[in-house]
């Protein structure tokens, strides 16, 4: 039933009620006017008439009040629905305005990226950052625009004759320590070359990318920063996790405290870069050039540094636990107190490297070149040094317990006070090595060359061990051991 019909019926009902009440009042007053009635009866009739009229009017008032209360509630409900619809419309209008504003700001900033003035381009980059912060839906699109801007404006310049030249060739560093340091000298000369200053707008783009909200990055998406020239860039504390930086040149860049975990830096150049406390967890640096880089306290745990060039790099207290350094060049590198536990250094070049007090527990050093290296106080327990080159290597008081040195070359090595408990030297070359005060408890010296070797003051060295070795009269044994009769009489 419509509200108009309801209102008409109610009006009729009120009219009938009033008429009925008025009629009863008239009747009662008429009855009270009969002469035959006593005064008391007349008063009684009049009181009844007034009471009935009052009841009728009170009932009518109550019904009227109830009806109009319901009408007010209905009106309020309708107003609430209207207000809700108006709010929805306002929200939709606000969203449309917001989208329009985003589009205007977005398109305006992009248009300014191609401006001739560097100040305008820099301002556009920071405007895009603000849009990314205010409108998270546009976050990744803006990051892709900024990375594309860097790629287009700072590409690697191809040099004739070097396009197909590998970043690192193991043969280039296979020369002897003395008279074979030409590659190292050439690298040192290149270090004095002045690096170009990075452009302001490119630096701004890198800064915005590096401090983005990582939580807004979509899964399985990586920042594409391949083959870019960002030498001397200020990347202090940036977050470039999982970024693709293959073939990029970051020489001289400041990456202190940056996070490059799981980043792809294959073939990248980081010559002289500052990588202090930088995170490279499980990062890929195959063939990367880190020559003379500062990697002190850097975290390279699980990183892939296969064939990487770390010549002259400083890795003091660095974490290289479980890292892959197969055929890596660590010539003249500083690895003091570094953690190389479980790392793979097969065929690595460690000539002249400083590994004092480094942790090389269970490290794989098969065929590694440690000639002239310093391993004083290092922990090589359980390490695999089979066929390794330790010519003239300093191994003072190092721990080589249970290490395997089968066919290793320790010619003229210095192992004073070293712990060789249960170490295996099968067919190793210890000629002219200094093993004064070393601990030979249960060490395997089968077919070990001991010509000219100094064993005076050795601890726990027994005759049966010596009898299995290959020495001569030049071998200096402890006072309590006589040279075996089958040893040659002359050196």
């Amino acid at each position: 039933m419509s509200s108009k019909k309801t209102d008409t019926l109610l009006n009729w009902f009120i009219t009938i009620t009033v008429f009925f009440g008025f009629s009863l009042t008239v009747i009662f007053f008429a009855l009270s006017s009969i002469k035959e009635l006593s005064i008391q009866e007349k008063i009684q009739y009049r009181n009844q008439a007034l009471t009935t009229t009052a009841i009728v009017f009170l009932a009518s008032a109550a019904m009227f009040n109830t009806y109009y209360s319901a009408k007010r509630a209905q009106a309020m409900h309708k107003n609430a629905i209207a207000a809700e619809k108006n709010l929805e419309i306002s929200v939709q209008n606000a969203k449309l305005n917001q989208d329009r504003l985003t589009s205007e700001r977005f398109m305006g900033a992009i248009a300014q990226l191609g401006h001739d003035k560097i100040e305008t381009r820099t301002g556009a980059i920071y405007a895009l950052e603000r849009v990314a912060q205010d409108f998270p839906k546009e976050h990744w699109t803006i990051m892709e625009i900024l990375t594309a801007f860097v790629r287009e404006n700072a590409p690697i310049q191809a040099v004739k004759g070097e396009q197909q030249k590998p970043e690192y060739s193991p043969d280039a560093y296979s020369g002897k320590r003395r008279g074979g340091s030409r590659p190292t000298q050439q690298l040192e000369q290149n270090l004095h070359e002045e690096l170009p200053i990075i452009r302001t707008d490119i630096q701004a783009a890198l800064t915005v990318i590096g401090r983005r909200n990582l939580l807004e990055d979509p899964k399985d998406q990586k920042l594409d920063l391949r083959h870019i020239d960002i030498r001397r860039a200020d990347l202090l504390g940036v977050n470039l996790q999982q970024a693709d930086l293959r073939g990029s040149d970051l020489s001289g860049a400041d990456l202190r405290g940056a996070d490059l975990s799981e980043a792809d830096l294959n073939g990248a150049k980081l010559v002289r870069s500052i990588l202090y406390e930088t995170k490279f967890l499980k990062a890929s640096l195959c063939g990367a050039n880190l020559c003379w880089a500062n990697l002190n306290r850097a975290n390279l745990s699980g990183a892939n540094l296969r064939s990487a060039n770390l010549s002259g790099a400083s890795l003091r207290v660095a974490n290289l636990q479980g890292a892959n350094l197969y055929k890596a060049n660590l010539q003249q590198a500083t690895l003091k107190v570094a953690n190389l536990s479980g790392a793979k250094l097969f065929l690595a070049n460690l000539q002249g490297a400083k590994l004092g007090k480094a942790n090389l527990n269970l490290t794989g050093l098969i065929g590694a070149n440690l000639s002239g290296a310093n391993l004083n106080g290092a922990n090589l327990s359980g390490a695999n040094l089979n066929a390794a080159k330790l010519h003239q290597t300093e191994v003072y008081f190092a721990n080589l317990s249970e290490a395997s040195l089968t066919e290793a070359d320790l010619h003229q090595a210095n192992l004073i006070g070293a712990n060789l408990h249960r170490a295996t030297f099968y067919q190793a070359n210890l000629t002219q090595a200094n093993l004064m005060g070393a601990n030979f408890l249960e060490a395997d010296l089968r077919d070990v060359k001991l010509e000219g070797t100094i064993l005076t003051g050795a601890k726990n060295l027994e005759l049966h061990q010596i009898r299995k070795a290959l020495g001569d009269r030049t071998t200096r044994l402890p006072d309590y051991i006589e040279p075996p009769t089958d040893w040659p009489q002359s050196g």
Side-chain angles (χ1 to χ4, degrees):
M1 187 179 291
S2 65
S3 62
K4 287 184 178 180
K5 290 183 178 180
T6 304
D7 291 343
T8 303
L9 289 173
L10 183 65
N11 290 334
W12 276 106
F13 179 75
I14 292 170
T15 303
I16 292 167
T17 304
V18 171
F19 179 76
F20 178 72
F22 182 74
S23 300
L24 287 174
T25 303
V26 171
I27 291 169
F28 278 114
F29 271 99
L31 290 173
S32 64
S33 301
I34 299 173
K35 294 179 179 181
E36 288 78 7
L37 296 174
S38 63
I39 294 172
Q40 187 177 0
E41 288 177 340
K42 288 180 179 181
I43 292 170
Q44 186 178 0
Y45 277 119
R46 288 178 181 176
N47 289 339
Q48 287 178 351
L50 292 171
T51 302
T52 303
T53 302
I55 290 170
V56 170
F57 278 104
L58 285 172
S60 300
M63 292 174 63
F64 180 80
N65 184 57
T66 302
Y67 171 74
Y68 280 102
S69 295
K71 290 291 285 182
R72 281 196 301 272
Q74 187 178 10
M76 289 175 66
H77 180 65
K78 287 181 179 179
N79 289 336
I81 292 172
E84 187 176 352
K85 288 182 179 179
N86 289 333
L87 181 61
E88 289 178 1
I89 293 169
S90 298
V91 169
Q92 289 176 357
N93 290 334
K95 189 177 183 302
L96 290 172
N97 291 331
Q98 188 182 56
D99 292 341
R100 181 178 56 79
L101 179 62
T102 304
S103 179
E104 289 176 357
R105 289 171 61 185
F106 190 64
M107 297 307 296
I110 291 173
Q112 289 178 337
L113 281 177
H115 202 276
D116 293 336
K117 290 186 177 180
I118 196 166
E119 297 87 352
T120 305
R121 295 196 300 270
T122 304
I125 289 164
Y126 289 120
L128 284 171
E129 180 185 27
R130 186 61 183 270
V131 173
Q133 292 171 349
D134 294 343
F135 309 104
K137 288 183 180 179
E138 306 298 334
H139 166 84
W140 189 248
T141 302
I142 290 170
M143 292 305 117
E144 289 185 322
I145 290 168
L146 292 176
T147 53
F149 174 81
V150 175
R151 291 197 307 272
E152 289 297 319
N153 288 274
I156 290 287
Q157 299 297 326
V159 180
K160 279 188 176 183
E162 293 187 3
Q163 293 178 358
Q164 296 181 349
K165 187 178 179 180
E167 293 294 333
Y168 163 63
S169 173
D171 296 334
Y173 299 93
S174 60
K176 295 181 180 179
R177 188 185 174 206
R178 295 176 184 177
S181 59
R182 185 179 176 184
T184 304
Q185 291 173 356
Q186 186 177 0
L187 286 169
E188 288 177 351
Q189 290 173 1
N190 293 337
L191 290 176
H192 296 292
E193 295 178 6
E194 189 66 27
L195 297 174
I197 298 173
I198 190 169
R199 257 170 46 185
T200 305
D201 53 344
I202 296 169
Q203 177 62 67
L206 292 169
T207 301
V208 171
I209 292 166
R211 69 185 180 199
R212 75 195 184 285
N213 183 2
L214 193 66
L215 298 175
E216 298 295 340
D217 285 0
K219 292 182 179 179
D220 303 322
Q221 293 287 344
K222 295 182 179 180
L223 295 170
D224 188 355
L225 292 165
R226 292 173 293 170
H227 307 294
I228 58 172
D229 184 354
I230 52 173
R231 287 173 288 177
R232 292 183 65 180
D234 183 359
L235 300 168
L236 183 68
V238 298
N239 192 329
L240 293 171
Q241 289 184 46
Q242 300 183 342
D244 190 348
L245 287 149
R246 285 176 290 173
S248 294
D249 193 345
L250 294 96
S251 298
D254 188 349
L255 284 147
R256 283 175 293 173
D259 192 345
L260 287 150
S261 300
E262 298 183 30
D264 191 342
L265 289 141
N266 292 342
K269 291 182 181 178
L270 292 126
V271 178
R272 275 196 304 176
S273 295
I274 304 171
L275 302 162
Y276 181 81
E277 291 188 345
T278 303
K279 294 179 182 178
F280 287 102
L281 278 80
K282 297 182 180 179
S284 185
L285 292 134
C286 295
N289 189 349
L290 293 133
C291 179
W292 302 102
N294 182 346
L295 286 149
N296 294 338
R297 294 185 179 275
N299 190 345
L300 291 140
S301 177
N304 188 351
L305 289 145
R306 186 186 177 96
S307 298
N309 183 8
L310 290 144
S311 176
S314 182
L315 293 125
R316 286 185 175 88
V317 203
N319 183 4
L320 290 142
Q321 188 174 11
N324 183 358
L325 290 146
Y326 175 74
K327 285 189 176 180
N329 178 25
L330 289 150
Q331 191 177 16
Q332 303 294 330
T334 301
L335 291 141
K336 291 182 179 179
V337 202
N339 182 8
L340 290 142
S341 176
K344 299 175 183 65
L345 285 147
F346 307 135
L347 302 176
N349 184 0
L350 290 146
Q351 291 183 74
K354 300 175 183 64
L355 291 145
K357 295 184 179 180
N359 182 8
L360 292 145
N361 175 248
L362 300 174
T363 301
L365 288 150
I366 297 173
N369 188 352
L370 290 146
S371 298
N374 186 324
L375 288 153
N376 294 338
N379 179 14
L380 288 147
S381 59
N384 190 337
L385 289 143
N386 294 344
K389 298 175 183 178
L390 293 108
H391 176 62
Q392 294 183 341
T393 303
E394 299 286 339
V395 202
Y396 280 87
F397 301 101
N399 182 8
L400 286 152
S401 61
E402 299 185 9
S404 180
L405 293 111
T406 299
E407 297 181 357
D409 183 6
L410 291 130
H411 176 62
Q412 294 183 345
N414 196 332
L415 291 124
I416 293 176
N419 181 10
L420 307 173
H421 178 218
R422 289 186 178 178
T424 301
F425 288 91
Y426 177 65
Q427 292 187 345
N429 181 10
L430 282 161
T431 57
Q432 298 180 29
N434 190 343
L435 290 144
M436 189 181 295
N439 178 17
F440 282 91
L441 182 65
E442 298 182 44
D444 184 357
L445 298 174
R446 287 177 300 158
D447 297 329
V448 175
K449 295 179 181 179
L450 295 173
E451 291 89 346
T453 306
I454 301 173
L455 294 162
T456 54
K459 300 175 182 177
N460 301 309
L461 181 63
E462 299 180 10
L463 181 60
H464 70 88
Q465 292 172 300
I466 291 297
R467 284 176 177 172
K468 293 177 183 179
L470 305 173
D472 59 18
R473 292 297 177 180
T474 62
T475 305
R476 295 170 60 180
L477 297 169
D479 295 338
Y480 61 89
I481 295 178
E482 292 292 331
T485 56
D486 59 339
W487 280 9
Q489 296 300 308
S490 60

